[in-house]
Structures are given as C-alpha cells and as structure tokens.
Amino acid sequence: MRALIVDDEAPARAKIRRMLSAAPDVEIVGEASTGREGVAAIKRTLPDVVFLDIQMPGLDGFGVVDALERDDAPYIVFVTADDAHALRAFEVGAVDYLLKPFTPQRFGLVLERARARVHARAPHDVPAPVAPATFLKRILVIDNGRAHFLPVDRLDVVEAERNYVQLTSAGGVFRLRATIASLQERLDPAQFLRINRSTLVRLDAVRSMHEWSHGDYRVVMQDGTEHSWSRRYRAGAEKSF
C-alpha cells in the first residue's frame, strides 16, 4: 500500500512516518508540507492513501480533496487537532478521521481500515475473503455536532438513504455518508444480515420473523419496528446458514 503524508507540521509528519514505517506492507511515497504541494505530490506519486492534515495555510485539506480528480482518487485519512470538521470529513468520503494526539492503537485501526479499502479496490482473479480483523467494531457518528464512536454491537438496523445510511441503535438514530453495500462489507456477516436491498439488521436485535406474502417475511425487531425480508435475499441467506 502506497502512502503519502501531507501536513504543515514537521513533528506530525514524523510521527505518522514512524508509525507507517512499522507496517511491512506500506511504502511511504512522499511527504508534503502545504496543500498545493500535496496536490502535486498526489498527482506525481499516485498513492493509495493520503494522511492529510485539514488545517494548513493556503490550501487546506478540503481544498486538496476538491482539487483531485474523482476517478481513481486516493483514499483520504484526515488528520487534525480540531474535531469540529468530523462531519464534513465524512461527507467528502474520508476513510477515517484521526484526532491529534492519537495513540498507536488508534492509528493501527485507521491503517487497517485504509488497507481494507485499498485491497477491496485492487483487481484480483479470485476474491479474497475478508479477514475477521477488518470487521468494524465501532463507527464514528455525529450527534448534534459532536462526534462519538457507536459500537457495532449496539447497532440494530442500517437503512440506505441514497448516498447516506441511517444507523438505528438504542442510543439514537444517526446518518452517515456511505453506501449500504460498502458498510455491509465491513460488518461481520455472523452478526448482520442483509434482508432486502436497503436494509441490514443485527441478528441479536431481531425479536421474531413471520411469513408474510409471496415468500417474503416480516422481521420484528426488539423495539417493535418491522422490516421486510425479501424472498430474494432470504434465498441467498439460507444457503449460508
């Protein structure tokens, strides 16, 4: 995996470089200290992932993203000392959001997430199975302008809403800029089931299931809400049970 570091602070670049160097499958293809240098470096080195500071003089991190071509653009991990930009970071499709100061453990989770994205995009003759280590354990969500991590074992339902997904849990309802297909890839299939084109449910949050019509079932959640388990998705799921 080819990585580029863009940050106007030399100590921050050094910390990220040190942590990336510890990963044997990561090649650091370059560094940049300004947004404009970052855009040039991205076009020159074609990295898979960019660790990109948000607050830089001149062209900031969001300006860097806006300056890139959308086709085959690298994955972005935003790095910043201010959590006020978390929502916008995910609206532009960032892989993750590293809040300074971050621990090696937190950096390792981000690196694993970026690695999974890169491997998923790379062409393979035979699809590689998703290793359990790549399954999400928590999801960063925004609630009234505040970011926090939602453990996936508290996530009950995921529903598609165009370029967003709605996450329903006992702690509330949240929106995240992602597709349901991309999120499904990161959730453990032993815990989550796709029951129709637009809905994923956590199996332990299901109260009961009832035959309905034309081969479909009604799935009743612990909170009483109901969803349709379509015949098409049920047939596919039964093969894996």
Side-chain angles (χ1 to χ4, degrees), residues 26-195:
V26 175
E27 176 190 1
I28 302 173
V29 297
E31 298 181 17
S33 59
T34 70
R36 298 194 184 281
E37 289 178 2
V39 172
I42 290 169
K43 294 179 178 179
R44 183 178 67 254
T45 63
L46 302 177
D48 297 308
V49 59
V50 179
F51 289 81
L52 178 62
D53 188 20
I54 291 180
Q55 295 174 301
M56 294 183 291
L59 191 69
D60 66 7
F62 294 115
V64 171
V65 173
D66 289 341
L68 299 177
E69 297 291 336
R70 294 303 178 186
D71 292 339
D72 297 324
Y75 291 113
I76 302 295
V77 173
F78 281 116
V79 186
T80 182
D82 187 351
D83 66 358
H85 303 290
L87 179 58
R88 187 179 175 191
F90 284 94
E91 286 180 343
V92 300
V95 171
D96 214 327
Y97 186 91
L98 267 174
L99 189 62
K100 301 176 183 178
F102 48 85
T103 65
Q105 292 77 17
R106 172 70 178 125
F107 188 88
L109 290 173
V110 171
L111 186 59
E112 183 60 35
R113 188 167 299 166
R115 183 182 289 117
R117 290 282 191 94
V118 171
H119 288 176
R121 184 164 69 178
H124 298 285
D125 293 333
V126 179
V130 178
T134 66
F135 294 142
L136 292 175
K137 294 183 179 179
R138 58 192 64 82
I139 300 172
L140 182 66
V141 297
I142 310 297
D143 184 18
N144 293 324
R146 300 293 296 176
H148 70 274
F149 288 100
L150 171 66
V152 297
D153 57 8
R154 297 181 188 173
L155 175 60
D156 295 338
V157 180
V158 179
E159 296 174 275
E161 291 185 349
R162 293 191 175 183
N163 294 328
Y164 290 83
V165 290
Q166 177 176 287
L167 310 177
T168 301
S169 74
V173 178
F174 311 95
R175 293 181 79 228
L176 179 69
R177 188 174 180 86
T179 64
I180 194 167
S182 65
L183 191 56
Q184 181 182 9
E185 291 177 355
R186 303 299 317 284
L187 295 173
D188 187 349
Q191 298 185 51
F192 289 87
L193 176 67
R194 182 84 169 265
I195 60 173

Side-chain angles (χ1 to χ4, degrees), residues 4-5 52 61 81 89 119 126 133 138 166 189 197 199 207 219 221 223 232-233 235:
L4 177 74
I5 305 167
L52 178 62
H119 288 176
V126 179
R138 58 192 64 82
Q166 177 176 287
R197 184 178 179 182
T199 310
R207 179 195 299 171
V219 177
M221 308 302 293
D223 63 2
R232 172 190 170 193
Y233 280 87

Side-chain angles (χ1 to χ4, degrees), residues 196-235:
N196 60 51
R197 184 178 179 182
S198 60
T199 310
L200 275 164
V201 298
R202 184 169 59 87
L203 295 176
D204 287 346
V206 174
R207 179 195 299 171
S208 61
M209 295 178 289
H210 309 281
E211 287 186 291
W212 191 35
S213 66
H214 301 96
D216 291 355
Y217 273 62
R218 296 301 287 174
V219 177
V220 183
M221 308 302 293
Q222 295 291 352
D223 63 2
T225 58
E226 297 185 3
H227 303 274
S228 173
W229 189 6
S230 73
R231 178 176 57 182
R232 172 190 170 193
Y233 280 87
R234 186 169 59 84

